[in-house]
Amino acid sequence: MCFSATASLAAGTFLLGFGVMTLHMAKRRHELAYAAIPLLFALQQLTEGVVWLTFGPGLEPLNTAAAQLYSFFSHVLWPVYVPAAVWLLEDEPPRRRALGATAAAGLAVGLYLLYTLLADGIVARPTGQHIEYDARHLYIPVVMALYLLATTGSLLLSSHRGVQLFGVLAFAASVVAYLFYARWFISVWCFLAAVLSMAVALHLAQRRLPPPALKP
């Protein structure tokens, strides 16, 4: 199986420990939100593990609750959280203004998708060895464009190379997920992004390196 309960639970468990490590790597308060990204992905992947395990008779209420919690991460949290976390890291005023715009876009998309989740709910189905989430509102072109702007564009706008690298990897993963797993885009992209969130440690490690010594 390409993706499964085992894959989700294993990724979530690993990222739980990795996320604790990145939180300890953050030495300044404004770094904490960015450092917490792997930990939040860990919770999301563990939640999808529960979704996998509750496809069965009598488990429908638990499956629905787990699918809704997972979709809160994928639809609402990430477009709001990511640009805000990157904005907190940024020191350059022009980039902060641009990041403020992406944060506003992310907030708008997140609130819209929260409304659709509350109004319509979410249905998760195991199809083709993946989980399909019935989320037609996310695929509206303007919604998807603003979602990508908030979640990957904000990373690319950062002045920090480690953050930019995470943005490049996350955007590339979205393209791969859409081209090869369009029906299961949400599940596959979130899984890939969760694994790639280990790049968060690169920025925190680079920031802690001492500046190179000046040559005489």
Side-chain angles (χ1 to χ4, degrees):
M1 221 181 239
C2 184
F3 299 100
S4 61
T6 301
S8 294
L9 293 173
T13 301
F14 174 80
L15 287 171
L16 205 59
F18 191 86
V20 171
M21 182 193 76
T22 56
L23 278 178
H24 282 294
M25 291 175 71
K27 298 303 181 183
R28 300 177 179 87
R29 185 173 298 178
H30 67 268
E31 296 173 334
L32 287 173
Y34 187 70
I37 288 176
L39 191 60
L40 292 170
F41 267 122
L43 298 178
Q44 184 180 12
Q45 288 304 305
L46 291 172
T47 300
E48 187 162 49
V50 176
V51 175
W52 274 111
L53 295 173
T54 53
F55 288 123
L59 298 174
E60 292 85 357
L62 181 56
N63 182 267
T64 298
Q68 289 175 336
L69 178 58
Y70 179 88
S71 298
F72 175 80
F73 278 98
S74 63
H75 289 56
V76 182
L77 177 70
W78 293 126
V80 176
Y81 188 92
V82 172
V86 179
W87 182 85
L88 288 171
L89 292 177
E90 191 55 53
D91 297 321
E92 298 181 8
R95 291 180 187 264
R96 283 176 68 89
R97 288 192 290 270
L99 286 166
T102 65
L107 179 61
V109 168
L111 289 175
Y112 170 74
L113 292 174
L114 175 62
Y115 168 76
T116 64
L117 284 175
L118 294 176
D120 301 336
I122 191 78
V123 176
R125 305 182 188 90
T127 57
Q129 298 182 336
H130 303 286
I131 296 179
E132 176 186 0
Y133 294 92
D134 183 6
R136 61 188 183 278
H137 298 282
L138 178 63
Y139 296 103
I140 297 171
V142 66
V143 174
M144 180 58 74
L146 292 175
Y147 186 99
L148 288 172
L149 174 66
T151 54
T152 61
S154 59
L155 296 167
L156 295 171
L157 284 171
S158 174
S159 62
H160 303 286
R161 291 187 181 275
V163 179
Q164 291 174 357
L165 175 61
F166 184 23
V168 170
L169 295 173
F171 181 75
S174 73
V175 174
V176 170
Y178 186 78
L179 289 177
F180 297 100
Y181 303 96
R183 186 174 181 181
W184 312 281
F185 176 78
I186 296 169
S187 178
V188 173
W189 187 31
C190 284
F191 181 87
L192 295 176
V195 174
L196 294 172
S197 71
M198 290 188 289
V200 165
L202 292 177
H203 165 71
L204 298 172
Q206 288 174 348
R207 187 266 304 147
R208 296 175 69 190
L209 291 175
L214 297 175
K215 295 182 178 180

